[in-house]
């Protein structure tokens, strides 16, 4: 078997119930609950018009500019999957466009994360399936391989294993490890509830801002009233 050219089974994935619980949480709150250490980088931006990305990862590692294994991943995808593609961040050739997106929708794919380029950007915005990518290029892909499906991949230091929770909104993309997902969801839910209360206090004019002065005094700032 050639090295770097293989398809593996996915042995586990986060449950649909857990995915729906994450869907209501801002990515920023989830990120804060993970100690602000995990991120896929600012280059991955939403190419769709609006909407939340949430689902278990089906991972693809491919040679930059080649989408053969991405085609296979779409054929393998289960309803609700998020296909996450490590294309090395190369933006020269697009890895997918309108036709592949249409096929993925028929398969019930929940969305895509592409560390590379896409094309048919206008059609993708209109279709509005959640899709995050690093760029856009009209130049098409090659279909020669190699590549791997259902392996651990990394995007800008963020690792994604098959079956991990993938979440995305206008602030970017975040992966939550399978083993940590339940604990992170509980912490992020509490964080979101606390921020909702803070927003209500701001609107009511009752927000206590004394913590700012307390912090400045503790840090030795001079000139405070």
């Amino acid at each position: 078997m050639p090295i770097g050219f293989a398809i593996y089974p996915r042995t586990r994935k986060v449950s649909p119930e857990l995915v729906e619980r994450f869907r209501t949480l801002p990515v920023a709150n989830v990120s804060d609950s993970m100690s602000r250490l995990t991120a896929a980088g600012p280059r991955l931006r939403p190419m769709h018009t609006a909407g939340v990305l949430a689902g278990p990862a089906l991972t693809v590692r491919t040679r930059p500019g080649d989408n053969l294994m991405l085609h296979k991943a779409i054929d393998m995808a289960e309803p609700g999957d998020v296909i996450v593609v490590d294309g090395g961040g190369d933006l020269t050739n697009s890895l997918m466009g309108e036709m592949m997106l249409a096929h993925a929708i028929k398969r019930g794919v929940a969305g895509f994360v592409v560390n590379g380029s896409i094309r048919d950007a206008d059609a993708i915005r209109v279709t509005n399936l959640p899709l995050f990518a690093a760029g856009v290029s009209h130049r098409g892909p090659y279909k020669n391989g190699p590549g791997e499906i259902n392996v651990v991949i990394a995007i800008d230091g963020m690792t994604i294993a098959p079956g991990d929770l993938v979440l995305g909104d206008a602030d970017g993309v975040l992966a939550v490890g399978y083993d940590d997902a339940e604990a992170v969801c509980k912490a992020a839910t509490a964080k979101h509830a606390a921020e909702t209360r803070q927003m209500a206090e701001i609107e009511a004019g009752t927000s206590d801002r004394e913590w700012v002065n307390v912090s400045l005094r503790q840090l030795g700032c001079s000139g405070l009233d």
Side-chain angles (χ1 to χ4, degrees):
M1 183 177 69
I3 301 299
F5 205 1
I7 299 168
Y8 300 96
R10 182 174 54 182
T11 59
R12 63 184 188 177
K13 64 177 182 176
V14 292
S15 69
E17 294 76 17
L18 189 56
V19 170
E20 290 307 309
R21 287 164 59 195
F22 269 101
R23 191 182 299 278
T24 64
L25 299 172
V27 169
N29 288 161
V30 180
S31 179
D32 286 352
S33 300
M34 297 173 68
S35 300
R36 302 169 182 169
L37 291 174
T38 303
R43 290 206 310 163
L44 290 179
R45 302 307 306 155
M47 299 294 170
H48 58 293
T49 303
V52 173
L53 173 71
L58 175 61
T59 61
V60 181
R61 177 186 292 130
T62 186
R63 181 170 62 86
D66 192 291
N67 73 353
L68 178 60
M69 295 304 266
L70 175 52
H71 274 282
K72 181 59 180 176
I74 293 174
D75 290 344
M76 292 172 55
E78 298 173 352
D81 280 348
V82 174
I83 298 178
V84 186
V85 185
D86 176 13
D90 182 79
L91 304 182
T92 307
N93 296 80
S94 62
L95 293 178
M96 65 175 293
E98 180 182 11
M99 293 181 67
M100 292 176 71
L101 190 70
H103 179 49
I105 290 171
K106 286 293 184 181
R107 296 284 304 169
V109 171
F112 288 86
V113 177
V114 180
N115 188 22
S117 286
I118 56 95
R119 66 177 179 179
D120 304 326
D122 285 341
I124 286 171
R125 278 190 288 270
V126 171
T127 302
N128 201 38
L129 184 78
L131 191 158
F132 291 76
V136 177
S137 173
H138 57 79
R139 294 176 62 175
Y142 302 99
K143 294 175 173 61
N144 304 310
E148 296 175 298
I149 296 175
N150 283 328
V151 294
V152 177
I153 61 174
I155 300 176
D156 203 26
M158 183 181 78
T159 59
I160 309 101
D164 285 354
L165 188 285
V166 180
L167 190 65
D169 63 17
D171 286 339
V173 174
L174 182 63
V176 183
Y178 177 93
D179 291 329
D180 298 327
E182 180 64 41
V184 170
C185 188
K186 289 179 180 178
T189 299
K191 172 74 173 175
H192 185 46
E195 289 196 357
T196 300
R197 291 192 295 271
Q198 288 176 319
M199 286 296 295
E201 291 171 356
I202 291 170
E203 291 295 325
T206 59
S207 178
D208 184 2
R209 301 291 294 169
E210 182 57 26
W211 70 268
V212 178
N213 289 330
V214 170
S215 294
L216 290 170
R217 290 189 190 97
Q218 290 176 343
L219 294 169
C221 179
S222 61
L224 290 173
D225 294 335

